[in-house]
Amino acid sequence: MQREQWGSRFGFIMAAAGSAVGLGNVWKFPYLVGENGGSAFLIIYIAFMATIGIGLMMAEIGIGRYSQMNPVGAFRKIAGRGWSWAGMLGVITAIIIMSYYSVVGGWTIAYFIDTLSGAVVGGTPDELGSKFGALVGDTTRPIIYDVIFLGLTLAVVIAGVSSGIEKAVKVLMPLLFIMLIVLVARSVTLEGASAGIDFLLSPKWDEVGMGTISAALGQSFFSLSLGMGALVTYGSYLNKNDNIRSSASWVCFLDTAVAVLAGFLVMPAVFAFGFNPGAGPGLTFITLPAVFSGMWGGQLFQAFFFFMLFVAAITSSISLVAIPVSYLSEQFHMSRVKATLLVGAIVFVVSIPCSLSLGIWSDYTLFGYGVLDLLSNTVDWYLLPIGGIAVAVCAGWFAYDKIAAELTNHGELPFPLLGAWKFIMRIVAPIAITWVLVGPFLT
Ligand code: PHE
């Protein structure tokens, strides 16, 4: 059977950017910047993106395109049996991420609906904070929206990814970019916005510790969808003539641009309206309604914003579900429908304690974290970095020739920085990531 392929290079870039650009950029990035002292975090983050991030992205896409298989089969095919665990780790990580991603994805739907009905249009910081708290701390509402979000994701994956998704992302992603720019323009011209802009532009290096560096690396992996097989999977549907190096560069650029823009959307509003930048996960949901309030057509803009946030989230969650689905259907010859429903059932079960951990189960903690935070931190601090080391070592040492051939299309495409890429994969990435992994235990 002929393997599915992306219809065009633009389609692949939009799909990969759809995976990369998600809640990580618009929801998580601004609050991490806020919690980690502002622009010093931003600078470290961009440095990771421009070196290790982009290098690993090329490697993952290369592994996928070489093998034309799901991550488990791909690692095995390119580097031998002993490497299947690296793919397996990705499959498991994808299921874990999806379990809390669908909860937050559900919040975007809830906010969209509440905006339409006028329930969250403007208010004081306290009022907006308690509206957010009331939603996420509720027992049934967030789970209902979680199911809707998950159901929509599964429906798209069942329908077959390439034509459906590709068509959708080609329209929705550009729209998201335009929308963001318009909203940023509004936010930076708010009265009192300059304190937020300063916060983003003046690094406070004395606040930078090992924790900041770990958070920046973990976030760069999460945001680029690295270290867990998403790009191996998407790369496996890529045409052999496509230029991986340039596509990967585009995806990294778009992803970083959206994160930085989201910072410039959220932070000026935080300072202009007197919110606390270290407010944590509620930051985007709480501050944005303040940006739109009082603005001409504010309710409409706000509804559109939460719709776009939903779009960003679902184009990412589709890629998350696609990983275990491709694994189950290829390795166990399961039908696509069956595999998707099985993955959906597992994700749903794990997502329940995630959601409840912000409400009635908030007293159940491990190391001081509730279930959602525990899973999210385990992913960012351990699973993605370990996955990243695996990709780097595999690409740099065990399958270098094969991947280099993918990156240059067997010598047809020039890649002047191939030597630098090899050096990053062999030496820089494994050492830097290991240091970030174990660093917190040494201090
Ligand atoms: N990159 C996505 C985001 O920033 C999250 C994601 C991680 C998606 C891993 C797929 C795989 O929201």
Side-chain angles (χ1 to χ4, degrees):
M1 196 178 79
Q2 177 73 25
R3 195 175 169 77
E4 271 186 291
Q5 273 197 352
W6 302 108
S8 67
R9 171 175 146 75
F10 181 67
F12 169 70
I13 295 177
M14 287 300 110
S19 171
V21 172
L23 295 168
N25 305 62
V26 189
W27 162 65
K28 208 167 173 186
F29 182 76
Y31 85 74
L32 285 175
V33 171
E35 282 180 342
N36 288 285
S39 64
F41 178 85
L42 187 72
I43 293 168
I44 299 170
Y45 175 81
I46 290 178
F48 278 137
M49 287 296 225
T51 52
I52 301 177
I54 195 168
L56 285 177
M57 179 169 286
M58 291 177 197
E60 286 201 19
I61 298 174
I63 293 172
R65 193 175 68 172
Y66 173 87
S67 61
Q68 305 276 304
M69 288 175 105
N70 68 86
V72 176
F75 273 98
R76 188 183 301 162
K77 180 160 176 186
I78 204 164
R81 271 207 165 267
W83 277 89
S84 322
W85 68 270
M88 205 55 228
L89 179 73
V91 171
I92 294 168
T93 307
I95 291 176
I96 297 178
I97 296 179
M98 190 55 201
S99 303
Y100 58 83
Y101 211 82
S102 64
V103 173
V104 183
W107 300 348
T108 66
I109 302 180
Y111 261 76
F112 173 65
I113 292 174
D114 285 354
T115 301
L116 289 183
S117 75
V120 275
V121 189
T124 65
D126 280 349
E127 283 164 4
L128 291 169
S130 42
K131 280 177 189 166
F132 177 73
L135 168 70
V136 305
D138 195 72
T139 305
T140 46
R141 254 189 106 214
I143 295 181
I144 293 171
Y145 289 116
D146 168 28
V147 171
I148 297 174
F149 183 83
L150 186 57
L152 291 170
T153 306
L154 300 181
V156 177
V157 175
I158 287 178
V161 186
S162 65
S163 54
I165 313 265
E166 192 173 343
K167 267 196 202 117
V169 291
K170 280 200 305 210
V171 179
L172 293 171
M173 293 309 291
L175 204 60
L176 173 78
F177 300 135
I178 295 169
M179 192 62 207
L180 255 179
I181 292 168
V182 172
L183 295 172
V184 169
R186 159 70 188 173
S187 190
V188 296
T189 51
L190 287 168
E191 208 177 313
S194 58
I197 298 173
D198 278 355
F199 183 75
L200 285 169
L201 295 182
S202 45
K204 297 183 218 56
W205 292 108
D206 46 324
E207 285 180 20
V208 172
M210 201 56 215
T212 319
I213 298 175
S214 291
L217 186 80
Q219 172 64 9
S220 69
F221 282 17
F222 183 84
S223 189
L224 288 177
S225 308
L226 292 174
M228 36 81 66
L231 290 153
V232 175
T233 309
Y234 272 13
S236 74
Y237 304 116
L238 186 61
N239 186 297
K240 285 281 181 194
N241 299 322
D242 199 277
N243 184 339
I244 294 180
R245 183 173 46 84
S246 105
S247 297
S249 308
W250 269 106
V251 175
C252 287
F253 167 73
L254 291 173
D255 188 67
T256 309
V258 171
V260 172
L261 283 175
F264 278 94
L265 170 59
V266 175
M267 280 308 156
V270 166
F271 284 86
F273 295 108
F275 294 94
N276 167 16
L283 197 66
T284 302
F285 288 91
I286 296 170
T287 51
L288 271 153
V291 176
F292 301 106
S293 66
M295 170 183 172
W296 178 83
Q299 187 173 357
L300 195 69
F301 268 93
Q302 184 174 318
F304 206 41
F305 171 79
F306 284 111
F307 180 70
M308 294 319 289
L309 191 57
F310 159 74
V311 168
I314 197 158
T315 51
S316 297
S317 68
I318 288 162
S319 73
L320 282 163
V321 170
I323 302 162
V325 167
S326 71
Y327 166 68
L328 290 173
S329 56
E330 284 172 20
Q331 304 296 123
F332 297 95
H333 306 291
M334 228 182 241
S335 74
R336 197 173 179 84
V337 177
K338 225 182 185 177
T340 310
L341 293 178
L342 178 62
V343 172
I346 300 171
V347 166
F348 173 61
V349 170
V350 187
S351 73
I352 292 173
C354 285
S355 182
L356 295 182
S357 72
L358 303 171
I360 54 167
W361 284 4
S362 60
D363 289 339
Y364 298 106
T365 57
L366 192 64
F367 309 116
Y369 298 113
V371 180
L372 193 151
D373 289 337
L374 194 68
L375 293 183
S376 153
N377 291 341
T378 306
V379 165
D380 291 1
W381 297 344
Y382 306 111
L383 301 180
L384 298 183
I386 293 172
I389 295 177
V391 172
V393 171
C394 176
W397 296 97
F398 289 84
Y400 173 73
D401 290 339
K402 292 172 189 159
I403 299 177
E406 290 297 327
L407 297 186
T408 59
N409 289 2
H410 299 274
E412 272 171 34
L413 295 173
F415 185 4
L417 293 176
L418 188 63
W421 177 80
K422 183 178 182 180
F423 181 65
I424 291 175
M425 290 300 105
R426 287 201 164 185
I427 313 285
V428 179
I431 293 179
I433 304 170
T434 307
W435 175 67
V436 166
L437 256 179
V438 299
F441 295 103
L442 304 177
T443 47

